Amino acid sequence: QVQLQQWGAGLLKPSETLSLTCAVYGGSFSGYYWSWIRRPPGKGLEWIGEINHSGSTNYNPSLKSRVTISVDTSKNQFSLKLSSVTAADTAVYYCARGRRTIFGVVITQPLDYWGQGTLVTVSS
Amino acid sequence: EIVLTQSPGTLSLSPGERATLSCRASQSVSSSYLAWYQQKPGQAPRLLIYGASSRATGIPDRFSGSGSGTDFTLTISRLEPEDFAVYYCQQYGSSPPPFTFGPGTKVDIK
């Protein structure tokens, strides 16, 4: 049974850096891409970016200049950093399992396992 | 970037009724890589449908998906009390990403 557990600071001031980590339990860590998604209050879901076990990343162009996703394969964890946050970055942030990789070939698949979500509020 | 629009924004129905939700893409979705998710307050999204029409593990057969190209539909044949939620479509086939979501359809109790 695959489980994703996430944590990080929930209250930030404008201009600070958001930092969240997601740990993966069960299943294969190296065989997938791992994503971050957010949902601002009253709005829909926004895909932020993804990473695989080798550190290969893809980011949403709308956030690319401020986002860094990293991986720690020794702990089966991946992390999100979002710099220079503003009130517009207030959202519930989720981690999730995405595309699969088999012998270096990427298999397209949806986000099938999700973390519990972390509310991040940006306020002065 | 593929932009997804969903209609209606809100659907007010009674338990037992049929729900039909629409998702339209700004360009053709590659190989029908279109998914539907259900989200309830305080919970993470839950995968319902992938590949436009395949049910995810454990999803009841009252949920069905159809469509191809730019037009997709999620149908709930008979609404159960636990089905009142927000539903999002997502395309996950664009290369390179981003994998975009629609704005959501809220199904609430009439």
Side-chain angles (χ1 to χ4, degrees):
Chain A
Q1 177 72 354
V2 178
Q3 293 186 354
L4 281 69
Q5 185 173 351
Q6 57 182 103
W7 65 89
L11 181 61
L12 297 173
K13 291 180 167 49
S15 81
E16 292 185 333
T17 295
L18 178 157
S19 182
L20 299 174
T21 297
C22 182
V24 179
Y25 301 99
S28 167
F29 183 79
S30 62
Y32 291 89
Y33 276 82
W34 302 92
S35 283
W36 288 98
I37 304 96
R38 70 180 183 179
R39 182 183 180 189
K43 296 186 178 181
L45 297 166
E46 180 179 32
W47 183 82
I48 298 170
E50 64 177 1
I51 192 166
N52 70 3
H53 73 287
S54 302
S56 176
T57 55
N58 290 293
Y59 297 132
N60 191 322
S62 67
L63 297 168
K64 187 173 183 177
S65 63
R66 298 192 292 129
V67 171
T68 301
I69 298 177
S70 59
V71 66
D72 184 342
T73 55
S74 68
K75 297 180 180 179
N76 284 3
Q77 295 177 1
F78 61 107
S79 298
L80 169 70
K81 290 190 185 299
L82 181 65
S83 63
S84 305
V85 298
T86 69
D89 296 309
T90 293
V92 178
Y93 287 75
Y94 299 96
C95 56
R97 189 178 81 170
R99 301 188 293 170
R100 189 172 181 183
T101 59
I102 301 176
F103 300 115
V105 177
V106 179
I107 308 299
T108 303
Q109 69 172 47
L111 302 166
D112 57 359
Y113 288 94
W114 294 65
Q116 78 275 20
T118 301
L119 174 62
V120 177
T121 303
V122 181
S123 175
S124 55
Chain B
E1 176 178 319
I2 297 178
V3 177
L4 300 179
T5 56
Q6 292 186 242
S7 60
T10 301
L11 195 53
S12 296
L13 295 168
S14 300
E17 290 193 295
R18 181 185 187 91
T20 303
L21 288 66
S22 175
C23 176
R24 178 163 291 179
S26 60
Q27 56 189 278
S28 184
V29 176
S30 173
S31 300
S32 293
Y33 290 135
L34 191 287
W36 290 92
Y37 300 86
Q38 177 194 67
Q39 187 172 33
K40 298 179 182 178
Q43 296 184 17
R46 172 193 182 195
L47 176 65
L48 298 176
I49 301 288
Y50 64 95
S53 61
S54 298
R55 274 188 300 276
T57 303
I59 302 304
D61 60 7
R62 65 180 180 273
F63 291 92
S64 63
S66 63
S68 64
T70 60
D71 290 296
F72 300 88
T73 300
L74 174 70
T75 301
I76 310 171
S77 59
R78 289 178 57 87
L79 283 164
E80 297 288 340
E82 62 267 28
D83 299 337
F84 292 93
V86 179
Y87 293 83
Y88 295 96
C89 59
Q90 183 212 18
Q91 66 80 18
Y92 56 96
S94 55
S95 181
F99 306 130
T100 47
F101 290 89
T105 290
K106 182 178 182 181
V107 179
D108 65 14
I109 299 176
K110 187 174 181 181

